[in-house]
Amino acid sequence: MKYIGKDFPIHDAENKAKGKAIYAGDLSFGKMLYIALLVSDYPHAIIKSIDVSEALKMPGVVEIMHCFNTTKKGFSRYNTTNNIKVAEQERIFTDHVRFVGDRIGAVIADDPVNAKLAVKKIKVEYEKLHFAENIETALTGVIDTMHPEGIINECELTVGEKQVVCAGDVTFRTQTDIDRISHIAMEPHSCTAYYDEGMHQLTIWSPNQSVYGMRYTVANFLDMPFNKVRIIKTTMGGSFGCKQECILEPVIGYIAKCLKQPVQLSMTRSEAMLSTLCRAPIRAEAEAIFCENGKLKSLEINNSLDAGAYLGSSSVYVKTIGEMMVRNYNFPYLHYIGRSICTNMPVSGGFRGWGTPECTMIMEHIMDKAAKLLNIDPIDIRILNAIQPQEFDPITHATFDESRLVACLKKGQEIFAWEERREKSKKSKNGRYKIGVGMACGGHINGHYPGKPDFSRVEMGVNEDGSIYINVTLHDHGCGTVRAMQIIAGEVLGIDPDEINVGEGDTFITPVDVGCYASRTIHVIGAAVEKCSRALIDEIINQASRILDVIPSELQYENGIVSHRRNHSINISLRQIAIEVHYRYQKSIDVSINHISNSNPAVHGAHFAQVCVDSYTGFVQVEDYLAVHDIGRVINPEICVAQIEGAIQMGCSIALSESMTPKNSGAGRAVSSLKDYHILNAFDSPHINVVFIEDPCNFGPFGAKSIGEVSFVPVSAAIVSAVNDAMDSDWNTIPLTPDRILEWIHSGEETNDR
């Protein structure tokens, strides 16, 4: 390979390093106005009155909008395509607030500071209602009337046939508790919008994961034709799922349309944590049956998910947790019941891995527990139950293709010196510092196929100087998507990736696309770019044949040069071809293709962790970490390694410290400050070793599969496994904070399924 497999920085690395990258909050237009939100201080209440008289006296205030002077039309942040049907429970400003942080109104001023100061002058009268901070309280019925549709949504799925318990089988129960967490993307939510009164056209600049999804929601909410709503994806400072749903776009679009001036809304960290979305808390109760040889026989799961104040994507999310169970292991019988239940807490939504990390927490603990009860090595029991290459997903019936889960496990076992480390960990149990080793494996998907439409359109052409342009709808989160497409096209065309220009999503310019969801970008869009690049070569040869007066079959293309197959003195460069075609034949050299994905191969990672637990303080230090990934083909190793390293630090942090649940409950307010929401920084990050298993699959660009989400899937489960090994405990609760560990130590319990 000429470019694939070589290290490249992300396309805008220089701008970001110099602080010159332009984000949505950096945009500035003449007569710009700034929005500051007024949000609820109570978890559940009816707004009786709003007094804005003092706020209107503040300097620079142009307008104050609130629940009593704006539209009462509802929308759903998750209804971004026609095939998604979720109740439209939200309003841009509501008089029935359902959580602390719910939008009541907004001040629009000529300066962001003036806008925020004016918000503090607004007086709101509330009629407080009963509220529920958690599922248990919600199920008592105190908030049953919060939504006309009710507060509970349930799903159920079954794989295989009910199994009979035999002599020698091992049956046990587990409980998994996962806390509410925030995405903490480096860039908090921000949008800029402008309504052109003469053109009747609304333009919104936002860092989002689907420009066409945002357009669908905004246009329908504002009753505008799609051709009059333009969404432009801006530079994104991370998402991890927090920018995939349509949250601020309807709000800023409505205000811009009303005022007909440029407006900007940039959230603080606290506002983003409270008023956008978070990952849902779950409690999953499971009953497993294993044969005495370690073969999984039956698994039944009841899972309850806290959807927060509005249902949003939670009904689909909780279902996905069940569906993802089959991406790692074979199930003679799986029965899954999932419930999403509304509470008066921040709205739950998509998070990196979209339910698969939660599924992995449940499943990997079950595997560890079965291994311990049956006295089988944790790796061996996973190998025994792992899906194999060319098997089929029993739910979607799509092929797993070249699944390499077993290869990941065996490679990790060898590199991590698994048996040796486990023996050493046993010898540390009597001292203050207890060493533990653990592991977990996780699988994920490569797109929407076959459950939803999954296609991508790509247009490519040659500029007069021989450089290449690609018109495709991308949504780079800051992790190298644009660069990956340059590399894929560069490999096919034999052209330096820096000579290939790739844009991002713009509904007025780039083709219709599904969006950056389900780890589909490399597998689906990358395959489309590869296919279009090959089509462009065919067109280049066709045009060269006209110029050289040689039939196309006698010509060949290589590295930007078309030459005669037998007489290499007959040749012509891309630059010469482009100029000749432009001026002699009065046309451009361009092609377009529509690629429809018909595959969803398995992608896996096996992670191994060594931790040290201080039994005096309860602090856990992750000392060493190995991630082995089945990736098909590595497009850009440097970026793939960085993705995995970031995922590991994120997963360690979530496993050990992150929680939006306040220490003192009862106020219905989630943690919304990094002073109280603790994340691991670079100093706390362990030594990380990343190993790739490259075995190109039969689909995707050059056989490549996804890495962005699957790299995060096993991390927290691996950390919990290692802590359990260190403490001889049986936790499956995160975060494993020092307080929680000390409480367990002082309780004197030997196991703790909390």
Side-chain angles (χ1 to χ4, degrees):
M1 294 288 181
K2 188 173 184 179
Y3 299 112
I4 284 178
K6 307 298 189 298
D7 292 332
F8 290 88
I10 57 175
H11 71 289
D12 56 355
E14 184 175 343
N15 273 345
K16 286 177 177 173
K18 292 180 177 179
K20 293 185 177 181
I22 305 298
Y23 295 84
D26 296 323
L27 297 172
S28 181
F29 301 100
K31 299 182 180 180
M32 177 80 85
L33 299 176
Y34 299 89
I35 301 168
L37 293 176
L38 170 68
V39 300
S40 173
D41 289 327
Y42 296 99
H44 196 198
I46 300 297
I47 307 299
K48 303 300 290 182
S49 66
I50 297 177
D51 183 354
V52 300
S53 56
E54 292 301 314
L56 285 169
K57 297 176 184 177
M58 296 292 289
V61 172
V62 173
E63 182 67 81
I64 297 179
M65 296 183 178
H66 51 75
C67 56
F68 296 127
N69 64 9
T70 55
T71 180
K72 291 178 171 53
K73 185 176 181 179
F75 71 94
S76 168
R77 59 178 64 192
Y78 185 55
N79 286 351
T80 52
T81 64
N82 191 55
N83 64 343
I84 297 176
K85 302 295 182 185
V86 177
E88 296 179 332
Q89 297 173 334
E90 290 188 67
R91 286 168 47 185
I92 58 166
F93 304 123
T94 182
D95 59 352
H96 181 178
V97 294
R98 295 171 173 89
F99 70 104
V100 174
D102 211 352
R103 297 182 302 269
I104 300 171
V107 172
I108 302 96
D110 60 8
D111 180 88
V113 175
N114 289 339
K116 290 184 183 298
L117 289 174
V119 165
K120 295 179 180 180
K121 298 290 185 180
I122 299 175
K123 297 175 183 177
V124 181
E125 181 185 357
Y126 297 88
E127 177 190 331
K128 298 178 188 178
L129 303 174
H130 292 294
F131 64 91
E133 288 185 313
N134 50 52
I135 289 171
E136 290 77 14
T137 305
L139 291 177
T140 65
V142 295
I143 61 168
D144 276 355
T145 58
M146 188 169 79
H147 294 303
E149 304 80 19
I151 65 166
I152 301 175
N153 190 283
E154 186 169 287
C155 65
E156 184 173 6
L157 67 88
T158 302
V159 172
E161 300 292 333
K162 188 89 171 175
Q163 301 291 295
V164 177
V165 180
C166 301
D169 288 352
V170 172
T171 301
F172 59 89
R173 294 177 179 272
T174 65
Q175 181 171 299
T176 301
D177 287 290
I178 297 176
D179 213 334
R180 177 179 283 105
I181 57 173
S182 179
H183 299 74
I184 313 294
M186 290 182 68
E187 175 200 19
H189 288 67
S190 182
C191 280
T192 298
Y194 172 61
Y195 184 81
D196 186 321
E197 188 174 6
M199 299 294 293
H200 309 290
Q201 177 180 307
L202 173 67
T203 302
I204 297 176
W205 294 262
S206 78
N208 65 78
Q209 293 182 219
S210 175
V211 290
Y212 283 96
M214 300 300 114
R215 184 186 71 171
Y216 181 88
T217 305
V218 171
N220 284 326
F221 175 68
L222 296 177
D223 294 317
M224 292 181 65
F226 281 21
N227 71 313
K228 293 296 184 179
V229 176
R230 182 181 187 183
I231 309 292
I232 302 173
K233 188 268 177 188
T234 57
T235 302
M236 182 187 289
S239 173
F240 314 117
C242 71
K243 295 164 187 171
Q244 72 176 34
E245 297 182 30
C246 198
I247 303 171
L248 297 189
E249 288 81 1
V251 179
I252 198 170
Y254 179 86
I255 294 173
K257 187 179 180 185
C258 288
L259 299 184
K260 298 175 176 56
Q261 281 184 244
V263 292
Q264 189 173 99
L265 171 54
S266 294
M267 286 186 146
T268 64
R269 176 66 63 192
S270 177
E271 289 171 334
M273 290 180 73
L274 276 184
S275 298
T276 58
L277 77 164
C278 57
R279 190 175 82 174
I282 70 164
R283 167 164 288 181
E285 297 174 341
E287 181 176 43
I289 303 174
F290 281 77
C291 299
E292 59 184 340
N293 68 350
K295 191 72 175 175
L296 175 62
K297 193 170 187 178
S298 172
L299 181 61
E300 297 186 58
I301 300 173
N302 276 277
N303 183 25
S304 296
L305 177 149
D306 184 340
Y310 298 106
L311 184 60
S313 62
S314 289
S315 60
V316 178
Y317 199 91
V318 74
K319 181 183 178 184
T320 303
I321 294 174
E323 293 172 338
M324 289 297 109
M325 293 284 173
V326 303
R327 300 300 291 190
N328 271 355
Y329 303 116
N330 282 300
F331 287 87
Y333 179 68
L334 168 66
H335 183 234
Y336 175 86
I337 296 174
R339 301 176 189 86
S340 50
I341 303 164
C342 289
T343 63
N344 296 110
M345 297 302 283
V347 182
S348 299
F351 198 98
R352 188 177 191 176
W354 188 266
T356 313
E358 296 94 317
C359 155
T360 302
M361 278 288 298
I362 298 166
M363 197 64 228
E364 293 305 284
H365 179 241
I366 288 170
M367 284 294 176
D368 275 352
K369 188 159 186 171
K372 190 171 185 177
L373 291 171
L374 294 166
N375 196 28
I376 300 175
D377 187 281
I379 293 179
D380 291 341
I381 201 170
R382 287 168 169 85
I383 291 174
L384 179 65
N385 290 284
I387 62 172
Q388 301 295 319
Q390 307 309 325
E391 290 186 343
F392 288 83
D393 184 319
I395 296 174
T396 67
H397 307 294
T399 176
F400 287 133
D401 195 44
E402 301 299 335
S403 166
R404 290 291 178 256
L405 175 56
V406 172
C408 289
L409 287 164
K410 289 182 176 179
K411 178 66 72 174
Q413 184 178 31
E414 173 193 345
I415 295 174
F416 198 67
W418 173 253
E419 291 85 358
E420 181 182 341
R421 289 192 192 229
R422 276 170 61 82
E423 285 300 317
K424 287 183 179 179
S425 76
K426 292 176 183 177
K427 299 175 182 178
S428 71
K429 299 299 187 277
N430 296 325
R432 169 181 173 178
Y433 298 100
K434 302 181 186 299
I435 304 300
V437 292
M439 57 81 56
C441 50
H444 200 54
I445 54 178
N446 286 272
H448 292 302
Y449 176 85
K452 297 179 182 177
D454 204 0
F455 65 94
S456 184
R457 184 168 182 80
V458 182
E459 301 163 356
M460 293 182 66
V462 183
N463 298 315
E464 294 95 326
D465 63 351
S467 61
I468 305 296
Y469 69 85
I470 302 178
N471 188 27
V472 61
T473 298
L474 294 179
H475 302 84
D476 197 316
H477 296 192
C479 55
T481 298
V482 168
R483 177 60 88 183
M485 299 303 155
Q486 291 174 313
I487 294 170
I488 291 167
E491 186 66 44
V492 176
L493 296 166
I495 293 175
D496 189 323
D498 284 328
E499 294 182 18
I500 300 172
N501 183 61
V502 183
E504 293 196 65
D506 180 337
T507 57
F508 272 24
I509 297 173
T510 60
V512 172
D513 187 77
V514 175
C516 185
Y517 310 128
S519 288
R520 65 179 293 273
T521 299
I522 289 296
H523 186 71
V524 180
I525 303 179
V529 168
E530 180 189 5
K531 184 186 292 186
C532 197
S533 300
R534 299 191 188 282
L536 182 61
I537 289 176
D538 291 341
E539 178 62 13
I540 290 167
I541 289 175
N542 285 335
Q543 296 304 324
S545 74
R546 298 174 69 187
I547 298 167
L548 299 173
D549 195 23
V550 177
I551 62 174
S553 62
E554 293 185 354
L555 297 176
Q556 62 185 6
Y557 172 93
E558 187 174 4
N559 301 334
I561 302 292
V562 175
S563 61
H564 196 283
R565 291 183 180 277
R566 296 186 305 277
N567 183 357
H568 296 307
S569 64
I570 300 175
N571 62 74
I572 187 170
S573 71
L574 263 184
R575 180 179 181 277
Q576 292 171 308
I577 296 170
I579 291 173
E580 287 288 317
V581 170
H582 282 194
Y583 294 100
R584 186 190 299 185
Y585 303 120
Q586 300 183 65
K587 75 178 297 293
S588 58
I589 304 178
D590 52 55
V591 295
S592 64
I593 63 102
N594 191 68
H595 171 69
I596 300 173
S597 178
N598 62 354
S599 65
N600 199 333
V603 60
H604 296 288
H607 287 204
F608 301 78
Q610 177 174 307
V611 304
C612 177
V613 183
D614 185 341
S615 60
Y616 288 9
T617 65
F619 278 95
V620 178
Q621 178 69 43
V622 185
E623 296 182 324
D624 200 14
Y625 203 99
L626 168 67
V628 184
H629 276 275
D630 154 36
I631 194 170
R633 174 85 70 183
V634 181
I635 301 296
N636 187 352
E638 183 177 54
I639 296 303
C640 290
V641 169
Q643 279 270 49
I644 295 168
E645 289 175 340
I648 290 167
Q649 183 162 335
M650 173 185 276
C652 289
S653 186
I654 290 167
L656 298 175
S657 62
E658 294 188 35
S659 171
M660 293 182 72
T661 301
K663 289 184 178 180
N664 301 313
S665 60
R669 184 184 183 93
V671 169
S672 60
S673 167
L674 294 183
K675 175 177 68 70
D676 301 309
Y677 186 92
H678 305 295
I679 59 175
L680 271 64
N681 56 32
F683 178 78
D684 300 305
S685 186
H687 170 265
I688 297 171
N689 183 22
V690 175
V691 175
F692 293 118
I693 292 180
E694 287 195 83
D695 187 4
C697 75
N698 294 306
F699 312 96
F702 297 95
K705 297 190 280 190
S706 63
I707 195 65
E709 291 187 278
V710 72
S711 58
F712 171 68
V713 168
V715 184
S716 293
I719 298 303
V720 171
S721 174
V723 172
N724 279 333
D725 180 60
M727 303 303 293
D728 195 23
S729 54
D730 193 25
W731 277 300
N732 204 31
T733 298
I734 56 173
L736 288 175
T737 61
D739 287 348
R740 180 166 276 150
I741 291 174
L742 287 178
E743 180 185 355
W744 179 83
I745 291 172
H746 294 154
S747 72
E749 297 177 11
E750 293 184 359
T751 59
N752 191 350
D753 258 351
R754 292 179 297 173

